[in-house]
Amino acid sequence: MQIKIHRSVLEKNENQAEINRELFKKHRTLAVNVMGSPGCGKTTLIESLIKTLGEKYRIGVIEGDYAGTVDAEKLAAYGIPVVQLDVSSCHLNADFVATGLRDMPLDRVDILFIENVGNLICPAEFDIGDLLKMVLYSVPEGDDKPLKYPLMFSLADAVVVTKTDLLPHFQFDISKVKESIARLNSKFQLFKFSSKDSESIRPIAGFLEKEFRRLVGGSPEL
Amino acid sequence: MHELSVTQSLIDLILEEVEQRSIKSVKKVGISVGVFTTFEPYAINFYFETLKTEYPPLTDTVLEIELKPGVCRCQECGKDFEVKETVSNLPQCPHCGSIFVEIKEGREFLINYLEV
């Protein structure tokens, strides 16, 4: 006898992701899912954004790491709420993020960066309830990555090419990157960032401010 | 690599149905995986075979995996088209030749039926 069932295997994660998303909206917290390969500069970018936006916005960070607390310690030094999640898997899921949210004072956080596990494949499959997806990728990784990891790049609201100070040393064509991402994504914005150039963070910070107004509304409650 | 956790989710879901319907043993489970997911059918099957031995109703269960075609919408001419195979090359619109498309369907991972 055959019993018809029509259920998504990921339904538990999808349901929890919706609960997380509603929670972020209720607290007017812009939750940003920061994804990218190990070593692409996720923590460095978050650090720069804390420095640039920290005066105007209350920032919090959830750090998903496979091992070690190096990143969480580095960011906690800024005197902001940081929750470390020891992820025993290759990605964060909605349940795990919900666990981290218990220790995050959301009513006192305007922008929450959720640093996903360094990986361009798995985090794309698991909705964590974020309001914005930011994908980073660094110049040394090569300009063909959007073609190799199409799902991740198809979901991105913003793509940040990092370590652009290395452009003179690599064969890396930014216009090729832009076109490859556009093949599967009609909404993304592309940014260039170098930690050596303090001005390069401004357009990214400006984008987040705009998205804050659009997605959670109004100005931060400082 | 992430197939282990999704296969465990699949097993949890089957066990939920088994308990609700008081099923003693499952002969076959039919699932479908969209072409635009990053879930490898081979790996899902491997983990299923390994994990099922721990659950008495599933020890003899065969997993049938169907690769579900995706649907893309052309960003230029607006027409929809089907994509049958896993993307090793990004899809191209068969109507106007544009390489700029949007994924509409093909990200599903569904359980379709149980055979008991």
Side-chain angles (χ1 to χ4, degrees):
Chain A
M1 183 179 69
Q2 200 180 82
I3 305 166
K4 295 265 179 222
I5 294 166
H6 196 75
R7 285 177 76 177
S8 169
V9 174
L10 300 174
E11 68 175 25
K12 205 172 146 237
N13 190 65
E14 286 154 6
N15 295 342
Q16 184 60 51
E18 278 317 308
I19 295 170
N20 293 354
R21 203 170 346 262
E22 286 311 310
L23 196 69
F24 294 136
K25 285 185 190 158
K26 192 181 128 204
H27 289 279
R28 297 184 52 229
T29 301
L30 177 65
V32 187
N33 187 355
V34 183
M35 297 176 278
S37 310
C40 71
K42 295 183 289 298
T43 314
T44 304
L45 182 82
I46 293 172
E47 231 179 324
S48 287
L49 287 167
I50 295 169
K51 287 181 200 158
T52 314
L53 293 167
E55 298 264 304
K56 201 169 161 190
Y57 296 84
R58 297 163 303 178
I59 294 173
V61 180
I62 290 184
E63 271 293 326
D65 260 318
Y66 187 69
T69 55
V70 190
D71 288 351
E73 282 165 16
K74 201 195 280 179
L75 297 173
Y78 289 92
I80 59 165
V82 177
V83 174
Q84 158 98 20
L85 294 174
D86 292 316
V87 187
S88 57
S89 169
C90 46
H91 58 272
L92 284 176
N93 62 30
D95 255 344
F96 224 158
V97 169
T99 317
L101 289 176
R102 282 190 221 136
D103 299 319
M104 181 56 66
L106 278 186
D107 47 351
R108 283 181 277 129
V109 173
D110 301 310
I111 301 178
L112 176 67
F113 294 109
I114 305 171
E115 185 176 337
N116 219 309
V117 180
N119 185 334
L120 280 174
I121 305 174
C122 320
E125 293 284 2
F126 298 86
D127 187 0
I128 55 171
D130 55 74
L131 301 181
L132 206 65
K133 291 181 185 11
M134 199 178 246
V135 178
L136 274 64
Y137 107 85
S138 63
V139 168
E141 291 171 61
D143 56 16
D144 56 353
K145 288 301 160 293
L147 299 172
K148 291 188 174 177
Y149 304 95
L151 184 61
M152 175 64 85
F153 286 94
S154 75
L155 300 171
D157 296 295
V159 175
V160 183
V161 177
T162 59
K163 307 186 190 182
T164 50
D165 46 304
L166 294 175
L167 277 170
H169 310 287
F170 287 85
Q171 290 278 344
F172 189 100
D173 182 351
I174 289 210
S175 60
K176 188 174 148 193
V177 167
K178 201 171 179 180
E179 188 185 283
S180 309
I181 302 169
R183 288 189 65 168
L184 284 172
N185 187 334
S186 55
K187 61 167 191 200
F188 78 103
Q189 298 220 22
L190 187 74
F191 298 98
K192 292 181 243 175
F193 174 68
S194 160
S195 60
K196 299 272 191 296
D197 171 12
S198 56
E199 284 305 303
S200 66
I201 196 69
R202 304 220 171 268
I204 308 167
F207 167 76
L208 287 178
E209 290 202 71
K210 201 176 88 226
E211 291 302 297
F212 181 86
R213 287 192 295 272
R214 184 174 76 87
L215 294 165
V216 293
S219 41
E221 296 160 25
L222 275 184
Chain B
M1 43 183 129
H2 50 317
E3 282 85 355
L4 175 61
S5 67
V6 294
T7 308
Q8 187 61 56
S9 301
L10 167 68
I11 288 180
D12 293 345
L13 213 74
I14 300 168
L15 292 174
E16 218 179 282
E17 295 286 340
V18 162
E19 200 183 304
Q20 271 173 23
R21 298 164 195 269
S22 314
I23 295 166
K24 286 205 175 59
S25 90
V26 181
K27 274 189 205 151
K28 201 193 259 181
V29 177
I31 63 169
S32 54
V33 182
V35 292
F36 292 121
T37 69
T38 59
F39 303 126
E40 186 59 52
Y42 173 82
I44 294 171
N45 198 53
F46 172 79
Y47 286 124
F48 187 81
E49 290 301 316
T50 312
L51 294 169
K52 74 176 189 185
T53 54
E54 290 176 36
Y55 308 96
L58 305 183
T59 43
D60 297 319
T61 309
V62 175
L63 189 63
E64 194 172 87
I65 308 177
E66 170 208 9
L67 197 61
K68 200 165 178 284
V71 175
C72 284
R73 179 163 297 165
C74 177
Q75 288 181 36
E76 291 189 47
C77 75
K79 286 186 184 147
D80 289 353
F81 62 94
E82 206 181 65
V83 179
K84 286 205 175 90
E85 278 165 35
T86 316
V87 272
S88 47
N89 288 307
L90 292 187
Q92 185 170 5
C93 175
H95 306 291
C96 73
S98 170
I99 55 169
F100 298 100
V101 304
E102 195 186 337
I103 299 171
K104 301 300 284 180
E105 283 172 39
R107 294 202 52 210
E108 309 83 352
F109 182 11
L110 303 170
I111 169 164
N112 297 320
Y113 67 86
L114 298 181
E115 212 171 277
V116 297

